[in-house]
Amino acid sequence: RIYRKEGKKIMNEMKITFKKPEEILDFVNKVEKYDCAMDMNRGIYVVDGKSILGIMNLGLNNIINLKIYDEDCERSEERRVG
C-alpha cells in the first residue's frame, strides 16, 4: 500500500517473511544505509525496521508488515528493500 498526503507519497507498506537469521542480517545491512524511518510489526509488536534484535524477536517464518516513512517514497519504492 502507498499512503499519500496532499498528493505526495509519505509511506509505503509491504509484507516480508524471513526464513533464516542470515536474511535478517542482510536486510538490516541494506536498510541501515537509508535515511528514512522504518517500522516492522507482527500483531501488537512493533520494532525499528533497522534493529537486528527487534526483527529477530518478531520471529522467522512469519508475515511481517514493513512500513517505510519517507518524504520521497518514489525513491524508496525504486530501491525496494525486500
Side-chain angles (χ1 to χ4, degrees):
R1 268 190 253 178
I2 298 171
Y3 296 87
R4 297 177 185 272
K5 181 179 182 181
E6 298 171 5
K8 189 173 184 181
K9 293 181 186 180
I10 57 168
M11 184 181 78
N12 283 340
E13 184 175 14
M14 61 189 82
K15 297 191 183 307
I16 293 180
T17 301
F18 298 105
K19 304 284 186 201
K20 302 181 287 187
E22 295 81 17
E23 292 176 356
I24 295 173
L25 294 173
D26 291 342
F27 174 82
V28 172
N29 285 332
K30 286 180 188 177
V31 300
E32 69 184 0
K33 297 173 185 169
Y34 303 122
D35 293 332
C36 56
M38 299 180 192
D39 289 332
M40 300 186 91
N41 79 288
R42 183 173 67 88
I44 62 170
Y45 302 103
V46 180
V47 299
D48 183 342
K50 298 178 183 180
S51 167
I52 293 170
L53 292 176
I55 298 170
M56 285 188 174
N57 279 317
L58 295 178
L60 298 174
N61 300 311
N62 293 312
I63 297 172
I64 299 170
N65 295 314
L66 168 65
K67 293 181 182 177
I68 304 170
Y69 305 93
D70 194 346
E71 286 296 316
D72 189 1
C73 279
E74 298 286 344
R75 272 193 340 219
S76 65
E77 201 172 312
E78 289 172 8
R79 64 183 179 229
R80 278 280 164 122
V81 294

Coordinates of all heavy atoms in Angstrom, one line a residue:
R1 N 0.8 -1.2 0.0 CA 0.0 0.0 0.0 C 0.9 1.2 0.0 O 1.9 1.3 0.6 CB -0.8 0.0 1.3 CG -2.2 -0.6 1.1 CD -3.0 -0.3 2.3 NE -3.1 -1.5 3.0 CZ -3.7 -1.7 4.1 NH1 -4.3 -0.6 4.7 NH2 -3.8 -2.8 4.7
I2 N 0.4 2.3 -0.6 CA 1.0 3.6 -0.6 C 0.1 4.6 0.0 O -1.1 4.7 -0.5 CB 1.5 3.9 -2.0 CG1 2.4 2.9 -2.6 CG2 2.1 5.3 -2.1 CD1 2.7 3.0 -4.0
Y3 N 0.6 5.4 0.9 CA -0.2 6.4 1.5 C 0.2 7.8 1.0 O 1.4 8.0 0.8 CB -0.1 6.3 3.1 CG -0.6 5.1 3.6 CD1 0.2 3.9 3.7 CD2 -1.9 5.0 4.0 CE1 -0.3 2.7 4.2 CE2 -2.5 3.8 4.5 CZ -1.6 2.7 4.6 OH -2.1 1.5 5.1
R4 N -0.8 8.6 0.8 CA -0.5 10.0 0.3 C -1.0 11.1 1.2 O -2.0 10.9 1.9 CB -1.1 10.1 -1.1 CG -0.6 9.1 -2.1 CD -1.4 9.3 -3.5 NE -1.0 8.3 -4.4 CZ 0.1 8.4 -5.2 NH1 0.8 9.5 -5.2 NH2 0.4 7.5 -6.1
K5 N -0.3 12.2 1.1 CA -0.7 13.4 1.8 C -0.5 14.5 0.8 O 0.5 14.8 0.3 CB 0.2 13.6 3.1 CG -0.2 14.9 3.8 CD 0.7 15.0 5.1 CE 0.3 16.2 5.9 NZ 1.2 16.4 7.0
E6 N -1.6 15.2 0.6 CA -1.7 16.3 -0.4 C -1.1 15.8 -1.7 O -0.3 16.5 -2.4 CB -0.9 17.5 0.1 CG -1.5 18.1 1.4 CD -0.7 19.1 2.0 OE1 0.4 19.5 1.5 OE2 -1.1 19.6 3.1
G7 N -1.4 14.6 -2.2 CA -1.0 14.1 -3.4 C 0.4 13.5 -3.4 O 0.9 13.0 -4.4
K8 N 1.2 13.7 -2.3 CA 2.5 13.2 -2.2 C 2.6 11.9 -1.4 O 2.0 11.8 -0.3 CB 3.4 14.3 -1.6 CG 4.9 14.0 -1.6 CD 5.6 15.2 -1.1 CE 7.1 15.0 -1.2 NZ 7.9 16.1 -0.8
K9 N 3.4 11.0 -1.9 CA 3.5 9.7 -1.1 C 4.3 10.0 0.2 O 5.3 10.7 0.1 CB 4.3 8.7 -1.9 CG 3.5 8.2 -3.1 CD 4.4 7.2 -3.9 CE 3.8 6.8 -5.2 NZ 4.6 5.8 -5.9
I10 N 3.8 9.5 1.3 CA 4.5 9.6 2.5 C 4.9 8.3 3.2 O 5.7 8.3 4.1 CB 3.7 10.5 3.5 CG1 2.4 9.9 3.8 CG2 3.6 11.9 3.1 CD1 1.6 10.5 5.0
M11 N 4.3 7.2 2.8 CA 4.6 5.9 3.4 C 4.3 4.8 2.4 O 3.3 4.8 1.7 CB 3.8 5.7 4.7 CG 4.2 4.5 5.4 SD 3.2 4.2 6.9 CE 1.7 3.6 6.2
N12 N 5.2 3.8 2.4 CA 5.0 2.6 1.7 C 4.8 1.5 2.7 O 5.5 1.5 3.8 CB 6.2 2.2 0.8 CG 6.2 3.0 -0.5 OD1 5.2 3.6 -0.9 ND2 7.4 3.1 -1.1
E13 N 4.0 0.5 2.4 CA 3.8 -0.6 3.3 C 3.9 -1.9 2.5 O 3.3 -2.0 1.4 CB 2.4 -0.5 4.0 CG 2.2 -1.6 5.0 CD 0.9 -1.4 5.7 OE1 0.0 -0.6 5.3 OE2 0.7 -2.1 6.7
M14 N 4.6 -2.9 3.0 CA 4.7 -4.2 2.3 C 4.9 -5.3 3.3 O 5.2 -5.0 4.5 CB 5.9 -4.1 1.3 CG 7.3 -3.9 1.9 SD 8.6 -3.6 0.7 CE 8.3 -1.9 0.4
K15 N 4.7 -6.5 2.9 CA 4.8 -7.6 3.8 C 6.1 -8.4 3.4 O 6.5 -8.5 2.3 CB 3.6 -8.5 3.6 CG 2.4 -7.8 4.0 CD 1.2 -8.8 4.1 CE -0.1 -8.1 4.4 NZ -0.1 -7.3 5.6
I16 N 6.8 -8.9 4.5 CA 8.1 -9.6 4.3 C 8.1 -10.8 5.2 O 7.5 -10.8 6.3 CB 9.2 -8.6 4.8 CG1 9.4 -7.5 3.8 CG2 10.6 -9.4 4.9 CD1 10.5 -6.5 4.2
T17 N 8.7 -11.8 4.8 CA 8.9 -13.0 5.6 C 10.4 -13.4 5.6 O 11.0 -13.4 4.5 CB 8.1 -14.2 5.1 OG1 6.7 -13.9 5.1 CG2 8.3 -15.5 5.9
F18 N 11.0 -13.6 6.7 CA 12.4 -14.1 6.8 C 12.4 -15.6 7.1 O 11.7 -16.0 8.1 CB 13.1 -13.3 7.9 CG 13.2 -11.8 7.6 CD1 12.4 -10.9 8.3 CD2 14.0 -11.3 6.7 CE1 12.4 -9.6 8.1 CE2 14.1 -10.0 6.4 CZ 13.3 -9.1 7.2
K19 N 13.1 -16.3 6.4 CA 13.2 -17.8 6.6 C 14.4 -18.2 7.5 O 14.4 -19.2 8.2 CB 13.3 -18.5 5.3 CG 12.2 -18.2 4.3 CD 10.9 -18.9 4.7 CE 9.9 -18.7 3.6 NZ 8.6 -18.9 4.0
K20 N 15.5 -17.4 7.4 CA 16.7 -17.7 8.1 C 17.3 -16.4 8.8 O 17.0 -15.3 8.3 CB 17.8 -18.2 7.1 CG 17.4 -19.5 6.4 CD 18.5 -19.9 5.5 CE 18.6 -19.0 4.3 NZ 19.6 -19.4 3.3
P21 N 18.0 -16.6 9.9 CA 18.6 -15.4 10.5 C 19.5 -14.6 9.6 O 19.5 -13.3 9.7 CB 19.4 -16.0 11.7 CG 18.7 -17.3 12.0 CD 18.2 -17.8 10.6
E22 N 20.2 -15.2 8.7 CA 21.0 -14.5 7.8 C 20.3 -13.5 6.9 O 20.8 -12.5 6.5 CB 21.8 -15.5 6.8 CG 22.7 -16.4 7.6 CD 22.1 -17.6 8.3 OE1 20.9 -18.0 7.9 OE2 22.7 -18.2 9.1
E23 N 19.0 -13.9 6.6 CA 18.2 -13.0 5.8 C 17.9 -11.7 6.6 O 17.9 -10.6 6.0 CB 16.9 -13.6 5.4 CG 17.0 -14.8 4.4 CD 15.7 -15.5 4.1 OE1 14.7 -15.2 4.7 OE2 15.8 -16.4 3.3
I24 N 17.7 -11.8 7.9 CA 17.5 -10.6 8.7 C 18.8 -9.7 8.7 O 18.7 -8.5 8.5 CB 17.1 -11.0 10.1 CG1 15.7 -11.7 10.1 CG2 17.1 -9.7 11.0 CD1 15.3 -12.2 11.4
L25 N 19.9 -10.4 8.8 CA 21.2 -9.6 8.8 C 21.4 -8.9 7.5 O 21.8 -7.7 7.5 CB 22.4 -10.6 9.1 CG 22.4 -11.2 10.5 CD1 23.5 -12.2 10.6 CD2 22.6 -10.1 11.5
D26 N 21.1 -9.6 6.4 CA 21.3 -9.0 5.1 C 20.3 -7.8 4.9 O 20.7 -6.8 4.4 CB 21.0 -10.0 4.0 CG 22.1 -11.1 3.9 OD1 23.2 -10.8 4.4 OD2 21.8 -12.1 3.3
F27 N 19.1 -8.0 5.4 CA 18.1 -6.9 5.3 C 18.5 -5.7 6.0 O 18.5 -4.6 5.5 CB 16.8 -7.4 5.8 CG 15.7 -6.4 5.9 CD1 14.9 -6.1 4.8 CD2 15.4 -5.7 7.1 CE1 13.9 -5.1 4.9 CE2 14.5 -4.8 7.2 CZ 13.7 -4.5 6.1
V28 N 19.0 -5.9 7.3 CA 19.4 -4.7 8.1 C 20.6 -4.0 7.5 O 20.7 -2.8 7.5 CB 19.6 -5.2 9.6 CG1 20.2 -4.0 10.4 CG2 18.3 -5.6 10.2
N29 N 21.5 -4.8 7.0 CA 22.7 -4.2 6.4 C 22.3 -3.3 5.2 O 23.0 -2.3 5.0 CB 23.7 -5.3 5.9 CG 24.5 -5.9 7.1 OD1 24.7 -5.2 8.1 ND2 24.9 -7.1 7.0
K30 N 21.3 -3.7 4.5 CA 20.8 -2.9 3.3 C 20.1 -1.7 3.8 O 20.4 -0.6 3.4 CB 19.9 -3.7 2.4 CG 20.6 -4.7 1.6 CD 19.6 -5.5 0.8 CE 20.2 -6.6 0.0 NZ 19.2 -7.4 -0.7
V31 N 19.1 -1.8 4.7 CA 18.3 -0.7 5.1 C 18.9 0.3 6.0 O 18.5 1.5 6.0 CB 16.9 -1.2 5.7 CG1 16.2 -2.0 4.7 CG2 17.1 -1.8 7.0
E32 N 19.9 0.0 6.7 CA 20.6 0.9 7.6 C 21.3 2.1 6.9 O 21.6 3.1 7.5 CB 21.5 0.2 8.6 CG 22.8 -0.3 8.0 CD 23.6 -1.1 9.0 OE1 23.3 -1.2 10.2 OE2 24.7 -1.6 8.6
K33 N 21.5 1.9 5.6 CA 22.1 2.9 4.8 C 21.2 4.0 4.4 O 21.6 5.1 3.9 CB 22.7 2.3 3.5 CG 23.8 1.3 3.8 CD 24.2 0.5 2.6 CE 25.2 -0.6 2.9 NZ 25.5 -1.5 1.9
Y34 N 19.9 3.8 4.5 CA 18.9 4.8 4.1 C 18.5 5.7 5.3 O 18.4 5.3 6.4 CB 17.6 4.1 3.6 CG 18.0 3.2 2.4 CD1 17.6 1.9 2.4 CD2 18.6 3.7 1.3 CE1 18.0 1.0 1.3 CE2 18.9 2.9 0.2 CZ 18.6 1.6 0.2 OH 18.9 0.7 -0.8
D35 N 18.2 7.0 5.0 CA 17.8 8.0 6.0 C 16.4 7.8 6.5 O 16.1 8.3 7.6 CB 18.0 9.4 5.4 CG 19.5 9.7 5.2 OD1 20.3 9.1 5.9 OD2 19.7 10.5 4.3
C36 N 15.5 7.2 5.7 CA 14.1 7.1 6.1 C 13.9 6.2 7.3 O 14.7 5.3 7.5 CB 13.3 6.7 4.9 SG 13.8 5.1 4.2
A37 N 12.8 6.5 8.0 CA 12.5 5.6 9.2 C 11.7 4.4 8.7 O 10.9 4.5 7.7 CB 11.6 6.4 10.2
M38 N 11.8 3.3 9.4 CA 11.1 2.1 9.0 C 10.7 1.4 10.3 O 11.4 1.3 11.3 CB 12.1 1.1 8.3 CG 12.6 1.6 7.0 SD 13.7 0.4 6.2 CE 14.4 1.5 5.0
D39 N 9.4 0.9 10.3 CA 8.9 0.1 11.4 C 8.5 -1.2 10.8 O 8.0 -1.3 9.7 CB 7.6 0.8 12.0 CG 8.0 2.1 12.8 OD1 9.1 2.1 13.3 OD2 7.1 2.9 12.9
M40 N 8.6 -2.2 11.7 CA 8.1 -3.5 11.3 C 7.2 -4.0 12.5 O 7.4 -3.7 13.6 CB 9.2 -4.5 11.2 CG 10.2 -4.1 10.1 SD 11.4 -5.3 9.8 CE 10.6 -6.2 8.5
N41 N 6.1 -4.6 12.1 CA 5.2 -5.1 13.1 C 4.6 -6.5 12.7 O 4.4 -6.8 11.6 CB 4.1 -4.1 13.4 CG 3.0 -4.1 12.4 OD1 3.2 -3.7 11.3 ND2 1.8 -4.7 12.8
R42 N 4.3 -7.3 13.8 CA 3.6 -8.5 13.7 C 2.7 -8.5 14.9 O 3.1 -8.5 16.1 CB 4.6 -9.7 13.8 CG 3.8 -11.1 13.6 CD 4.8 -12.2 13.5 NE 5.5 -12.5 14.7 CZ 5.1 -13.3 15.7 NH1 3.9 -13.9 15.6 NH2 5.8 -13.4 16.8
G43 N 1.4 -8.5 14.6 CA 0.4 -8.4 15.7 C 0.6 -7.1 16.4 O 0.6 -6.0 15.8
I44 N 0.7 -7.2 17.8 CA 0.8 -6.0 18.6 C 2.2 -5.5 18.8 O 2.4 -4.4 19.3 CB 0.1 -6.1 20.0 CG1 0.8 -7.2 20.7 CG2 -1.4 -6.4 19.8 CD1 0.4 -7.3 22.2
Y45 N 3.2 -6.2 18.3 CA 4.6 -5.9 18.4 C 5.1 -5.1 17.3 O 5.0 -5.4 16.1 CB 5.4 -7.2 18.6 CG 4.9 -8.1 19.7 CD1 4.2 -9.2 19.4 CD2 5.2 -7.7 21.0 CE1 3.7 -10.0 20.5 CE2 4.8 -8.5 22.1 CZ 4.0 -9.6 21.8 OH 3.6 -10.4 22.8
V46 N 5.7 -3.9 17.6 CA 6.3 -3.0 16.7 C 7.7 -2.8 17.0 O 8.1 -2.5 18.2 CB 5.5 -1.6 16.7 CG1 6.1 -0.7 15.6 CG2 4.0 -1.8 16.4
V47 N 8.6 -2.9 16.0 CA 10.0 -2.7 16.2 C 10.6 -1.8 15.2 O 10.0 -1.6 14.1 CB 10.8 -4.0 16.3 CG1 10.3 -5.0 17.4 CG2 10.8 -4.7 14.9
D48 N 11.8 -1.2 15.5 CA 12.5 -0.4 14.5 C 12.9 -1.4 13.3 O 13.5 -2.4 13.6 CB 13.7 0.2 15.2 CG 14.5 1.1 14.3 OD1 14.4 1.0 13.0 OD2 15.3 1.9 14.8
G49 N 12.7 -0.9 12.1 CA 13.0 -1.8 10.9 C 14.5 -1.9 10.7 O 14.9 -2.6 9.7
K50 N 15.3 -1.2 11.5 CA 16.7 -1.3 11.3 C 17.4 -2.0 12.5 O 18.6 -1.9 12.7 CB 17.3 0.1 11.1 CG 16.8 0.8 9.9 CD 17.3 2.2 9.7 CE 16.7 2.9 8.5 NZ 17.2 4.3 8.4
S51 N 16.6 -2.6 13.3 CA 17.1 -3.3 14.5 C 17.2 -4.8 14.3 O 16.1 -5.4 14.2 CB 16.2 -3.0 15.7 OG 16.5 -3.8 16.8
I52 N 18.4 -5.3 14.3 CA 18.5 -6.8 14.2 C 17.8 -7.5 15.3 O 17.0 -8.5 15.0 CB 20.0 -7.2 14.2 CG1 20.7 -6.6 12.9 CG2 20.2 -8.7 14.2 CD1 22.2 -6.8 12.9
L53 N 18.0 -7.2 16.5 CA 17.4 -7.9 17.6 C 15.8 -7.7 17.6 O 15.1 -8.6 17.9 CB 17.9 -7.4 19.0 CG 19.4 -7.8 19.2 CD1 19.8 -7.2 20.5 CD2 19.6 -9.3 19.2
G54 N 15.4 -6.5 17.3 CA 14.0 -6.3 17.2 C 13.3 -7.2 16.2 O 12.3 -7.8 16.4
I55 N 13.9 -7.2 15.0 CA 13.3 -8.1 13.9 C 13.4 -9.5 14.3 O 12.4 -10.3 14.0 CB 14.0 -7.8 12.6 CG1 13.8 -6.3 12.1 CG2 13.5 -8.7 11.5 CD1 14.6 -5.9 11.0
M56 N 14.5 -10.0 14.9 CA 14.6 -11.4 15.3 C 13.5 -11.7 16.3 O 13.0 -12.8 16.3 CB 16.0 -11.7 15.8 CG 17.0 -11.7 14.7 SD 18.6 -12.3 15.4 CE 19.5 -12.5 13.9
N57 N 13.1 -10.8 17.1 CA 12.0 -11.0 18.1 C 10.7 -11.2 17.5 O 9.8 -11.8 18.1 CB 12.0 -9.9 19.2 CG 13.0 -10.1 20.2 OD1 13.2 -11.2 20.7 ND2 13.7 -9.0 20.6
L58 N 10.5 -10.7 16.2 CA 9.3 -10.9 15.5 C 9.2 -12.3 15.0 O 8.1 -12.8 14.7 CB 9.1 -9.9 14.4 CG 9.0 -8.4 14.8 CD1 8.9 -7.5 13.6 CD2 7.8 -8.2 15.7
G59 N 10.3 -13.0 14.9 CA 10.3 -14.4 14.6 C 10.5 -14.7 13.1 O 10.3 -13.9 12.2
L60 N 11.0 -15.9 12.8 CA 11.2 -16.4 11.5 C 9.9 -17.0 11.0 O 9.0 -17.5 11.8 CB 12.3 -17.4 11.4 CG 13.7 -16.9 11.9 CD1 14.7 -18.1 11.9 CD2 14.2 -15.8 10.9
N61 N 9.7 -17.1 9.7 CA 8.6 -17.7 9.0 C 7.2 -17.1 9.4 O 6.2 -17.8 9.3 CB 8.6 -19.3 9.3 CG 9.8 -19.9 8.8 OD1 10.2 -19.8 7.7 ND2 10.4 -20.7 9.7
N62 N 7.3 -15.8 9.7 CA 6.0 -15.1 10.0 C 5.9 -14.0 9.0 O 6.9 -13.5 8.5 CB 6.1 -14.5 11.4 CG 6.1 -15.5 12.5 OD1 5.2 -16.4 12.5 ND2 7.0 -15.4 13.4
I63 N 4.7 -13.6 8.7 CA 4.4 -12.5 7.8 C 4.6 -11.2 8.6 O 3.9 -11.1 9.7 CB 3.1 -12.6 7.1 CG1 3.0 -13.8 6.2 CG2 2.8 -11.3 6.3 CD1 1.6 -14.1 5.7
I64 N 5.5 -10.4 8.2 CA 5.8 -9.1 9.0 C 5.5 -7.9 8.1 O 5.8 -7.9 6.9 CB 7.3 -9.1 9.4 CG1 7.6 -10.3 10.3 CG2 7.6 -7.8 10.1 CD1 9.1 -10.5 10.5
N65 N 4.8 -7.0 8.7 CA 4.5 -5.7 7.9 C 5.6 -4.8 8.0 O 6.1 -4.5 9.1 CB 3.2 -5.1 8.5 CG 2.0 -5.9 8.3 OD1 1.8 -6.5 7.2 ND2 1.2 -6.1 9.3
L66 N 6.1 -4.2 6.9 CA 7.2 -3.2 6.9 C 6.5 -1.9 6.4 O 5.9 -1.9 5.4 CB 8.3 -3.6 5.9 CG 9.3 -2.6 5.6 CD1 10.1 -2.2 6.8 CD2 10.2 -3.1 4.4
K67 N 6.8 -0.9 7.2 CA 6.3 0.5 6.8 C 7.6 1.4 6.7 O 8.4 1.4 7.6 CB 5.4 1.0 7.9 CG 4.1 0.3 8.0 CD 3.2 0.9 9.0 CE 1.9 0.1 9.1 NZ 1.0 0.6 10.2
I68 N 7.6 2.0 5.5 CA 8.8 2.9 5.2 C 8.2 4.3 5.2 O 7.3 4.6 4.4 CB 9.4 2.6 3.9 CG1 9.9 1.1 3.9 CG2 10.6 3.5 3.6 CD1 10.3 0.6 2.5
Y69 N 8.7 5.2 6.1 CA 8.3 6.6 6.1 C 9.3 7.4 5.4 O 10.5 7.5 5.9 CB 8.1 7.0 7.6 CG 7.2 6.1 8.4 CD1 7.7 5.1 9.1 CD2 5.8 6.3 8.4 CE1 6.9 4.2 9.9 CE2 5.0 5.5 9.1 CZ 5.5 4.5 9.8 OH 4.7 3.6 10.6
D70 N 8.9 8.0 4.3 CA 9.9 8.8 3.6 C 9.2 9.9 2.8 O 8.2 9.6 2.2 CB 10.6 7.9 2.6 CG 11.9 8.5 2.0 OD1 12.1 9.7 2.1 OD2 12.6 7.7 1.4
E71 N 9.7 11.1 2.9 CA 9.1 12.2 2.2 C 9.1 11.9 0.7 O 8.3 12.4 -0.1 CB 9.8 13.5 2.5 CG 9.5 14.1 3.9 CD 8.0 14.5 4.0 OE1 7.4 15.1 3.1 OE2 7.4 14.1 5.1
D72 N 10.2 11.2 0.3 CA 10.3 10.9 -1.1 C 10.2 9.4 -1.3 O 11.1 8.7 -1.6 CB 11.7 11.4 -1.6 CG 11.8 11.3 -3.1 OD1 10.9 10.9 -3.8 OD2 12.9 11.6 -3.6
C73 N 9.0 8.9 -1.2 CA 8.7 7.5 -1.3 C 8.9 7.0 -2.7 O 9.0 5.8 -2.9 CB 7.3 7.2 -0.8 SG 7.2 7.0 1.0
E74 N 8.9 7.9 -3.7 CA 9.2 7.4 -5.0 C 10.6 6.7 -5.0 O 10.8 5.7 -5.6 CB 9.3 8.6 -6.0 CG 8.0 9.4 -6.1 CD 6.9 8.7 -6.9 OE1 7.2 7.7 -7.6 OE2 5.7 9.0 -6.8
R75 N 11.6 7.3 -4.4 CA 12.9 6.8 -4.3 C 12.9 5.4 -3.5 O 13.5 4.5 -3.9 CB 13.9 7.7 -3.6 CG 14.5 8.7 -4.5 CD 15.7 9.3 -3.7 NE 15.5 9.2 -2.3 CZ 15.7 10.1 -1.4 NH1 16.2 11.2 -1.7 NH2 15.5 9.9 -0.1
S76 N 12.2 5.4 -2.4 CA 12.2 4.2 -1.6 C 11.5 3.1 -2.3 O 11.9 1.9 -2.1 CB 11.6 4.4 -0.2 OG 10.2 4.7 -0.3
E77 N 10.6 3.4 -3.2 CA 9.9 2.4 -4.0 C 10.9 1.8 -5.0 O 10.9 0.6 -5.3 CB 8.7 3.0 -4.7 CG 7.7 2.0 -5.1 CD 6.4 2.7 -5.6 OE1 5.9 3.7 -4.9 OE2 6.0 2.3 -6.7
E78 N 11.7 2.7 -5.6 CA 12.7 2.2 -6.6 C 13.8 1.3 -6.0 O 14.2 0.4 -6.6 CB 13.3 3.4 -7.2 CG 12.4 4.2 -8.1 CD 13.0 5.5 -8.6 OE1 14.2 5.7 -8.3 OE2 12.3 6.3 -9.1
R79 N 14.2 1.6 -4.8 CA 15.3 0.8 -4.2 C 14.8 -0.4 -3.3 O 15.5 -0.9 -2.5 CB 16.1 1.7 -3.3 CG 15.5 2.3 -2.2 CD 16.4 3.3 -1.4 NE 15.6 3.9 -0.3 CZ 15.6 5.1 0.0 NH1 16.2 6.0 -0.8 NH2 14.9 5.5 1.0
R80 N 13.5 -0.8 -3.5 CA 12.9 -1.9 -2.8 C 13.9 -2.6 -1.9 O 14.9 -3.1 -2.4 CB 12.3 -2.8 -3.8 CG 10.9 -2.4 -4.2 CD 9.9 -2.8 -3.2 NE 8.7 -2.1 -3.4 CZ 7.5 -2.7 -3.6 NH1 7.4 -4.0 -3.5 NH2 6.5 -2.0 -3.7
V81 N 13.5 -2.7 -0.6 CA 14.4 -3.3 0.3 C 14.3 -4.8 0.4 O 15.1 -5.5 1.0 CB 14.2 -2.7 1.7 CG1 14.7 -1.3 1.7 CG2 12.8 -2.8 2.2
G82 N 13.2 -5.4 -0.1 CA 12.9 -6.8 0.2 C 13.6 -7.8 -0.7 O 14.5 -7.8 -1.4

